[in-house]
Amino acid sequence: MGADNRPLLRRVGRAAAITGAVGVAGLGYASVIERNWFRLRRYELPLLPPGSPRLRILHLSDAHLTPGRKMLIDWIRGLEAYEPDLVINTGDSLAHPEAVGPFMDALGPLLDRPGAFVYGSNDLFSPQLKNPARYLWRTSKTDYNKRRVPDLPWRELGASMSASGWLDLNNHKGALKANGLDVALAGVHDSHIKLDRYEDVAGPADPAADIRLGVLHSPEPANLDRFEADGYQLLLAGHTHGGQLCLPFYGTLVTNCGIDRERAWGLNGYGDAWLHVSGGLGTSPYAPVRFCCRPEASLLDLVAPS
């Protein structure tokens, strides 16, 4: 190779080294710092009848818990300090066959408060190693076509939450009292694994309730449309991880379901209802990174119009 090409090769080599260093630094930030940089989002919605007391809802989702995640467990336990009136868990709580006990420990004193839950696909089926780039052109729904037998202790998880008085809303309706208010709820099992049966909860929401909540794991528009049409005022979902890997000034790349990117996380209008999609608290243990998408839980203060 001629000497005239050596300066060019040195520049190319330096550029490659810098690019590699930036990549390693970004991966370290995404896997060590941001993945454990939990935040609590707060919202206020004037949805209650005049003269009603505040109803504070804590929305948890997508913990994907493994027994060793002590920082996450401790952070969830600390949410009791915000004194929620109602806790809603929209699924994907597990990522390990021995995670039920740690997850119940994480909930801790929150279990003494009124609550309700639905399952996500990863409460039934353990995470598997896969190419994350596939999410750019397809969802993970087809990954479950060959997985028929659940291998995670979802029954134990549900029994533990139900034993604490939380409502199992997997294709069920329910009602409870929270801070003196009548709350009507309906939920569906996870549409991502084709276990949702909206027909089991179909029909107008209780008009006498002070607030009507629709609960689901994956925010598929087909189910959201039906909840909204039946009169549920606030719809709560998870599943998307807010995109998990987002781009600055662009946001969510993929939602892994039918919801649009603009509503992949946070609070947005949905017809005559409000939709809150949690960005979630965890990740698959095979993709333990978050970028521009911090793990989160949310407090939604429902109030009477001023």
Side-chain angles (χ1 to χ4, degrees):
M1 181 175 293
D4 290 344
N5 291 326
R6 290 174 186 171
L8 174 60
L9 291 176
R10 284 196 292 268
R11 288 196 295 272
V12 171
R14 283 196 295 269
I18 292 170
T19 301
V22 170
V24 170
L27 181 61
Y29 164 80
S31 61
V32 177
I33 297 176
E34 186 162 324
R35 179 174 176 247
N36 295 296
W37 191 9
F38 310 111
R39 68 177 164 188
L40 184 66
R41 291 187 178 273
R42 304 190 72 158
Y43 304 92
E44 184 174 285
L45 280 170
L47 290 178
L48 297 181
S52 299
R54 179 209 71 193
L55 180 68
R56 174 165 289 175
I57 300 174
L58 173 62
H59 183 187
L60 304 173
S61 196
D62 297 271
H64 291 278
L65 194 66
T66 55
R69 295 212 61 196
K70 188 175 186 304
M71 291 178 64
L72 175 55
I73 291 169
D74 291 345
W75 192 84
I76 295 173
R77 284 186 68 90
L79 295 173
E80 165 66 16
Y82 294 93
E83 300 183 338
D85 302 304
L86 173 63
V87 184
I88 302 292
N89 175 19
T90 51
D92 272 6
S93 303
L94 307 181
H96 191 280
E98 297 179 7
V100 173
F103 184 69
M104 299 305 292
D105 288 343
L107 293 177
L110 293 171
L111 291 166
D112 295 330
R113 298 183 177 274
F117 66 93
V118 293
Y119 298 123
S121 57
N122 289 127
D123 292 318
L124 283 73
F125 297 98
S126 60
Q128 292 184 330
L129 182 63
K130 61 186 73 172
N131 176 9
R134 292 188 302 173
Y135 290 106
L136 294 173
W137 64 82
R138 48 164 280 192
T139 74
S140 62
K141 181 179 289 190
T142 55
D143 296 343
Y144 294 96
N145 290 344
K146 297 179 181 179
R147 303 184 70 184
R148 302 297 183 186
V149 180
D151 60 348
L152 286 180
W154 60 277
R155 288 190 178 89
E156 180 186 346
L157 173 67
S160 297
M161 289 187 285
S162 295
S164 296
W166 285 17
L167 294 179
D168 180 343
L169 294 178
N170 290 285
N171 301 326
H172 290 298
K173 285 185 172 181
L176 51 76
K177 282 273 191 182
N179 199 27
L181 297 170
D182 292 313
V183 183
L185 307 98
V188 290
H189 206 310
D190 190 9
S191 58
H192 207 61
I193 48 176
K194 302 178 182 178
L195 292 178
D196 54 319
R197 302 289 183 268
Y198 193 89
E199 60 273 16
D200 291 349
V201 300
D206 183 0
D210 294 304
I211 186 68
R212 297 172 289 279
L213 306 179
V215 182
L216 63 170
H217 177 65
S218 180
E220 290 292 348
N223 284 325
L224 296 173
D225 291 347
R226 298 181 76 176
F227 276 118
E228 188 264 345
D230 279 340
Y232 291 93
Q233 299 156 279
L234 176 59
L235 315 179
L236 300 164
H239 177 70
T240 67
H241 297 191
Q244 189 166 327
L245 300 176
C246 300
L247 293 180
F249 312 111
Y250 181 81
T252 300
L253 292 172
V254 295
T255 67
N256 196 28
C257 65
I259 198 69
D260 51 284
R261 288 192 313 103
E262 288 71 21
R263 290 184 283 193
W265 59 263
L267 184 67
N268 292 278
Y270 198 92
D272 291 331
W274 287 93
L275 169 65
H276 181 259
V277 179
S278 172
L281 285 162
T283 68
S284 166
Y286 293 113
V289 294
R290 279 182 175 257
F291 190 77
C292 293
C293 188
R294 289 169 58 188
E296 64 181 41
S298 296
L299 283 178
L300 298 102
D301 283 341
L302 309 189
V303 298
S306 58

